[in-house]
Amino acid sequence: MTPEQEKKESTDKPPTMIDTTRSSTNLRGLFAPMELTFQGETEEKIPIPDTHSTRFNFRKLWAFTGPGFLMSIAYLDPGNIESDLQSGAVAGFKILWVLLLATIIGLMLQRLSARLGVVSGMQLAEVCRRKYPKVPRIVLWLMVELAIIGSDMQEVIGSAIALNLLSVGRIPLWGGVIITIADTFFFLFLDKYGLRKLEALFGFLITVMAITFGYEYVTVKPDQRQLLKGMFVPGCDNCGSQQLQQAVGIVGAVIMPHNIYLYSALVRSRDVNRANKKEVNEANRYFFIEACLALFVSFLINVFVVSVFAEAFYNQTNAQVHEVCSNSSSPHSDLFPVNNETLDVDIYKGGVVLGCYFGAPALYIWAIGILAAGQSSTMSGTYTGQFVMEGFLNLKWSRFARVVFTRTIAITPTLLVAVFQNVNTLTGMNDLLNVLMSLQLPFALIPVLTFTSMNSVMHDFVNGLVWKIIGGVIILIICCINIYFVIDYVSNLNIVAFYIVAAVVAIAYLSFVSYLVWFCLVTMGVPFLDCGHDNNENRVMIAEDQSQVFQQMEPIHSADVDTIH
């Protein structure tokens, strides 16, 4: 980044107070992370009770509770549910440990995201706008928007299928797709009643999922010994490429790229004095506790789904399921061909087979759970889109306009498939969308590690060497896993023309990822890679930043001195 760009960045937004806890020898460190109010920031701030104690306090935890559960919705969207049931049907309980590991890795990454938002007062998208040059910044924004639209399509598909099942086919799939337009605006209407009420609504939807999928779990009665073994003993006896694909698919479905951007914005809804190191430490601690609780709940719900299909449908053939559905007078028995191939199941067929084996209530309760998953993910996707657009472009759209934009793009291809194709094609889109999510992962994981390792953004809370190594290893593993997933998916298409296009896209894709990695390594202090700056330029840039701060700073009254210290 050139000194001119850094200078422009420093004038984008004036700071409001000095952090005197930083050493005077570091000019950049003189200034505390700023209490920013930019166009995308939530206007409502939830106050934190002042207990004058450093010990754990349930009142404070309650005040910080909300953002983590909104974030956890991404771990429960229809794409995740489909990945869960497929892994259970294909691999039984054998790869539950992968789900546990993916959730823990997701928690670590969300911790970085939350710390960025709490410490800097900026969401990840805004930091990207300030720190990356123009062209990489725009490309990054487009990639994140693509991930949001892909996720939105999964939510539309899940909601449409749920409505079709609940109406016993009376609402066609294309009708369900259209209905999802109206329900999004209903959520926007509820948003006017305040942040805490909206958070309570999300909590209610998560509770609905826990009850419905928990009901299926109790009905099926999975083998608890096999469940615990699969969860805590890594390995996969007698597994082949199909089971490996499901394991990789779990990682890709659980760790959603746009969710990293969302959480860094949500945590700013709490009234934390960022000039007070104690308050920032406390906020980081309580947000981490809440994230642990939220992801534990989401993990349990995912385990419910995996276990149900692992117990009831592992190693089942299409012919066996067809016979059971025929005997139960199910109108959907023709979904399963009479052959000895292993059952191929998705969220639509999942509801059908549950109805065949355990009665109509199991089907309807499953559909209610899928509907709750789709609807909750819809609103979180809307928030993410708004934060990302405002952060990257410094452009404010109303939520209404934002929903129209995103939903129109997401619904158009989904509606065309629903009208002209069948349910198998519609649910098959989820596989393609999971590949899309996998491709977008580096565009969230690398930036969040980069900026939480940047002194000028995080100050005293910058990542230490251990966290830099852990974060780098996690990102490397996830990216390698998902590249394998994408290559495997593309190779199974058997279309030569597509291979040529994929090769061209892959070159551009890897080039951009390499740039992000280079930027990250320079930020972490790898000196031989930093060939774009020299020390004299850096000293000038620091002096200019200091000058701009003092010119733009509001006068500090004597009453503010205690707050500063």
Side-chain angles (χ1 to χ4, degrees), residues 533-549:
H533 305 276
D534 80 13
N535 292 332
N536 290 330
E537 288 179 340
N538 286 334
R539 283 195 292 268
V540 171
M541 180 180 63
I542 291 171
E544 287 176 343
D545 283 349
Q546 183 188 19
S547 175
Q548 290 290 342
V549 166

Side-chain angles (χ1 to χ4, degrees), residues 6-8 10-15 31 541-553:
E6 287 277 20
K7 180 178 178 180
K8 182 180 184 300
S10 67
T11 60
D12 278 350
K13 208 173 301 302
F31 310 109
M541 180 180 63
I542 291 171
E544 287 176 343
D545 283 349
Q546 183 188 19
S547 175
Q548 290 290 342
V549 166
F550 282 106
Q551 287 175 13
Q552 298 179 19
M553 193 186 317

Side-chain angles (χ1 to χ4, degrees), residues 16-153:
T16 56
M17 63 176 60
I18 297 178
D19 178 9
T20 57
T21 64
R22 295 288 294 165
S23 168
S24 61
T25 60
N26 184 345
L27 294 179
R28 286 186 180 275
L30 282 170
F31 310 109
M34 297 167 284
E35 190 71 44
L36 300 169
T37 303
F38 72 105
Q39 290 180 333
E41 186 164 0
T42 306
E43 294 180 1
E44 184 179 357
K45 291 281 188 180
I46 305 300
I48 306 300
D50 186 6
T51 58
H52 301 289
S53 173
T54 58
R55 293 188 298 177
F56 177 80
N57 184 283
F58 281 102
R59 285 180 58 214
K60 282 193 174 182
L61 178 60
W62 178 249
F64 282 104
T65 297
F69 282 91
L70 268 68
M71 169 270 293
S72 72
I73 290 295
Y75 293 73
L76 298 167
D77 70 353
N80 271 294
I81 301 300
E82 182 160 289
S83 176
D84 291 337
L85 63 91
Q86 287 175 343
S87 68
V90 170
F93 299 100
K94 297 177 183 178
I95 55 175
L96 267 175
W97 63 272
V98 178
L99 176 61
L100 175 62
L101 184 61
T103 304
I104 293 172
I105 290 174
L107 174 63
M108 296 298 101
L109 294 171
Q110 295 295 353
R111 176 185 179 273
L112 294 179
S113 176
R115 285 172 66 84
L116 178 66
V118 170
V119 174
S120 71
M122 296 181 287
Q123 54 146 320
L124 179 56
E126 188 185 8
V127 182
C128 289
R129 175 172 61 83
R130 289 166 167 265
K131 298 298 182 183
Y132 284 127
K134 183 176 181 180
V135 173
R137 181 171 71 235
I138 293 174
V139 174
L140 200 59
W141 168 66
L142 291 174
M143 293 299 100
V144 178
E145 288 287 357
L146 196 59
I148 294 170
I149 291 168
S151 176
D152 204 37
M153 289 178 67

Side-chain angles (χ1 to χ4, degrees), residues 103-414:
T103 304
I104 293 172
I105 290 174
L107 174 63
M108 296 298 101
L109 294 171
Q110 295 295 353
R111 176 185 179 273
L112 294 179
S113 176
R115 285 172 66 84
L116 178 66
V118 170
V119 174
S120 71
M122 296 181 287
Q123 54 146 320
L124 179 56
E126 188 185 8
V127 182
C128 289
R129 175 172 61 83
R130 289 166 167 265
K131 298 298 182 183
Y132 284 127
K134 183 176 181 180
V135 173
R137 181 171 71 235
I138 293 174
V139 174
L140 200 59
W141 168 66
L142 291 174
M143 293 299 100
V144 178
E145 288 287 357
L146 196 59
I148 294 170
I149 291 168
S151 176
D152 204 37
M153 289 178 67
Q154 288 184 315
E155 292 145 15
V156 170
I157 291 169
S159 298
I161 287 172
L163 291 170
N164 181 268
L165 290 172
L166 285 170
S167 65
V168 198
R170 291 187 179 89
I171 298 178
L173 291 172
W174 60 265
V177 170
I178 293 174
I179 290 173
T180 59
I181 301 175
D183 60 26
T184 305
F185 294 113
F186 172 71
F187 278 112
L188 293 181
F189 172 75
L190 292 178
D191 184 41
K192 296 181 179 180
Y193 287 93
L195 181 60
R196 288 302 258 178
K197 290 184 176 62
L198 187 66
E199 291 173 348
L201 175 63
F202 277 95
F204 169 75
L205 291 172
I206 292 173
T207 303
V208 170
M209 282 184 270
I211 292 173
T212 52
F213 296 133
Y215 169 86
E216 310 287 359
Y217 180 86
V218 172
T219 301
V220 174
K221 298 182 178 65
D223 186 329
Q224 301 301 304
R225 187 168 175 272
Q226 290 296 318
L227 187 154
L228 292 174
K229 179 182 177 182
M231 189 181 299
F232 296 109
V233 180
C236 190
D237 296 335
N238 301 317
C239 289
S241 60
Q242 196 174 16
Q243 287 76 21
L244 180 59
Q245 289 171 16
Q246 290 302 323
V248 172
I250 287 175
V251 177
V254 166
I255 303 172
M256 305 290 283
H258 61 282
N259 201 36
I260 306 293
Y261 287 87
L262 173 65
Y263 196 36
S264 66
L266 291 174
V267 295
R268 299 171 308 146
S269 61
R270 268 47 185 180
D271 191 10
V272 177
N273 178 12
R274 295 184 178 89
N276 187 320
K277 187 175 178 179
K278 176 185 171 183
E279 286 194 29
V280 173
N281 263 323
E282 184 179 67
N284 284 330
R285 183 171 72 252
Y286 279 104
F287 276 129
F288 183 67
I289 293 171
E290 190 227 0
C292 289
L293 294 173
L295 292 188
F296 176 72
V297 172
S298 72
F299 174 71
L300 283 182
I301 295 173
N302 283 313
V303 168
F304 289 160
V305 178
V306 174
S307 301
V308 165
F309 285 84
E311 180 68 30
F313 307 113
Y314 175 52
N315 277 338
Q316 292 282 312
T317 65
N318 285 320
Q320 290 173 316
V321 175
H322 180 91
E323 182 181 358
V324 173
C325 287
S326 297
N327 293 336
S328 64
S329 301
S330 170
H332 304 290
S333 58
D334 58 341
L335 284 173
F336 310 100
V338 184
N339 59 43
N340 290 323
E341 293 182 6
T342 304
L343 175 66
D344 182 20
V345 69
D346 50 46
I347 52 176
Y348 183 81
K349 292 179 182 177
V352 170
V353 294
L354 285 171
C356 293
Y357 278 74
F358 302 105
L363 185 152
Y364 295 127
I365 290 172
W366 169 262
I368 291 171
I370 295 297
L371 185 63
Q375 296 307 291
S376 56
S377 300
T378 291
M379 194 59 194
S380 66
T382 300
Y383 271 107
T384 308
Q386 183 188 26
F387 290 136
V388 164
M389 177 171 285
E390 293 170 359
F392 273 111
L393 305 181
N394 200 24
L395 174 66
K396 183 174 177 62
W397 276 17
S398 68
R399 288 204 180 105
F400 180 88
R402 173 71 210 185
V403 170
V404 171
F405 173 74
T406 306
R407 233 336 114 90
T408 301
I409 296 175
I411 279 180
T412 302
T414 311

Side-chain angles (χ1 to χ4, degrees), residues 428-561:
M429 288 180 68
N430 269 327
D431 294 333
L432 178 61
L433 294 171
N434 280 335
V435 172
L436 177 65
M437 296 294 116
S438 299
L439 283 169
Q440 307 308 315
L441 270 173
F443 306 132
L445 305 188
I446 298 174
V448 78
L449 179 63
T450 299
F451 299 125
T452 52
S453 302
M454 187 176 284
N455 287 312
S456 61
V457 175
M458 298 297 288
H459 301 269
D460 285 335
F461 298 90
V462 69
N463 288 334
L465 178 62
V466 173
W467 262 103
K468 290 176 182 177
I469 294 173
I470 292 174
V473 170
I474 287 175
I475 289 173
L476 178 63
I477 292 173
I478 291 174
C479 290
C480 288
I481 286 174
N482 284 285
I483 287 172
Y484 168 84
F485 182 47
V486 171
I487 292 173
D488 179 77
Y489 180 85
V490 172
S491 63
N492 289 329
L493 294 177
N494 296 319
I495 304 173
V496 176
F498 193 85
Y499 294 158
I500 298 173
V501 174
V504 174
V505 172
I507 292 172
Y509 173 83
L510 292 174
S511 298
F512 186 57
V513 171
S514 298
Y515 169 81
L516 295 179
V517 171
W518 170 81
F519 194 99
C520 181
L521 291 174
V522 170
T523 297
M524 289 184 178
V526 181
F528 70 90
L529 293 176
D530 189 5
C531 56
H533 305 276
D534 80 13
N535 292 332
N536 290 330
E537 288 179 340
N538 286 334
R539 283 195 292 268
V540 171
M541 180 180 63
I542 291 171
E544 287 176 343
D545 283 349
Q546 183 188 19
S547 175
Q548 290 290 342
V549 166
F550 282 106
Q551 287 175 13
Q552 298 179 19
M553 193 186 317
E554 295 178 0
I556 300 176
H557 302 290
S558 58
D560 294 326
V561 173

